[in-house]
Amino acid sequence: MVQLDLVTAIREDLAAAADPERAESLRAYLKSELPCHGIGNAAVRRLVAARVRGVALTAGEWEALIRALWDRASHREERFAALSVARARAFRAYAERPQSLALYAYLIRTGAWWDLVDETAHLVEEVLVAHPDETAGVLRRWAVDDDVWVRRVAVTAQLHRGAQTDLTLLSEAIAGSVDDPDFFARKAIGWALRQYARTDPDWVRGYLAAHPELSPLSVREASKHL
């Protein structure tokens, strides 16, 4: 099958590009249970882009390739390769479908660490841009999910939307995590507010003033450029 051949080829490409001297320091930085090849994300994206260029996959084959790289990963970069397949320009139509949110939720829950989750958030944002109403409904459910990483993406899914940010959705996403003491939940809240402050700092100032329940970490992050 085409996708299985691609899994093998991408794994071989990553192994060939490995930097053993960097591998252990990268693994320690990411606190990764999986070993690392020591390859940066940009390099992984380039390798994957070159490998899938000109390849035709159905939506089912595209998802199967992502899941195979992800679920059978022997090194952390194979999971970034899965995300690079998801974000590849050739498959953008698949990546932007609302149906793909179920796949992204799976990647978020099983990735369960900031590097993989924040990369997946880019994919969620693309679906939100393409299908705002349907995706907003999903993100509202994610905002009250038991999984902190799912809630983190509900908060950070609009980081690049600027003036198109759905402020009601952002407020609801923040409310779902405001009582969570987890560092990554609180950091996400501050990050989202800090990013939106580039567009409307007065709105963010007003939001902070109206929500004294926000953690000091969230407030400190949100206020960095105010």
Side-chain angles (χ1 to χ4, degrees), residues 45 51 68 79 83 92 98 106 108-109 120 133 136 148 151 166 172 194-195 199 224:
R45 289 191 201 99
R51 181 57 67 178
R79 289 196 155 182
L83 294 169
R92 187 168 184 176
Y106 173 77
I108 292 163
R109 293 182 193 279
T120 308
D133 293 337
V148 65
R151 284 186 279 110
D166 181 335
E172 291 179 21
R194 183 180 79 233
Q195 189 72 6
T199 297
K224 279 187 176 179

Side-chain angles (χ1 to χ4, degrees), residues 2-3 13 19 30 35 44 49 51-52 56 66 71 86 90 94 114 117 121 130 134 165 172-173 190 223-224:
V2 173
Q3 65 267 31
D13 289 344
D19 182 348
L30 294 173
V44 173
R51 181 57 67 178
V52 303
I66 292 167
D71 290 338
Y94 303 150
W114 64 267
V117 168
E134 191 168 350
T165 299
E172 291 179 21
S223 303
K224 279 187 176 179

Side-chain angles (χ1 to χ4, degrees), residues 67-214:
R67 287 182 178 270
L69 285 166
W70 187 273
D71 290 338
R72 303 174 198 169
S74 62
H75 290 73
R76 196 170 191 86
E77 287 87 348
E78 290 172 28
R79 289 196 155 182
F80 273 103
L83 294 169
S84 297
V85 170
R87 297 188 68 185
R89 184 176 301 177
F91 309 125
R92 187 168 184 176
Y94 303 150
E96 292 180 346
R97 302 179 313 160
Q99 300 96 306
S100 295
L101 290 170
L103 169 63
Y104 302 155
Y106 173 77
L107 301 179
I108 292 163
R109 293 182 193 279
T110 55
W113 197 240
W114 64 267
D115 58 331
L116 299 172
V117 168
D118 292 349
E119 185 74 5
T120 308
H122 289 291
L123 290 160
V124 175
E125 187 167 9
E126 290 178 6
V127 184
L128 179 62
V129 170
H131 303 276
D133 293 337
E134 191 168 350
T135 308
V138 174
L139 291 177
R140 285 186 167 90
R141 295 194 293 274
W142 287 13
V144 294
D145 197 276
D146 290 338
D147 191 312
V148 65
W149 298 107
V150 173
R151 284 186 279 110
R152 179 178 169 92
V153 173
V155 173
T156 62
Q158 300 192 79
L159 288 179
H160 306 97
R161 299 213 69 198
Q164 302 304 312
T165 299
D166 181 335
L167 294 174
T168 301
L169 176 59
L170 176 59
S171 298
E172 291 179 21
I174 291 172
S177 290
V178 73
D179 293 328
D180 193 330
D182 187 274
F183 170 84
F184 291 101
R186 294 183 168 188
K187 186 82 168 181
I189 291 170
W191 184 16
L193 291 170
R194 183 180 79 233
Q195 189 72 6
Y196 187 64
R198 298 176 185 273
T199 297
D200 191 343
D202 288 338
W203 186 91
V204 174
R205 289 189 188 97
Y207 186 91
L208 294 176
H211 293 83
E213 71 276 16
L214 290 171

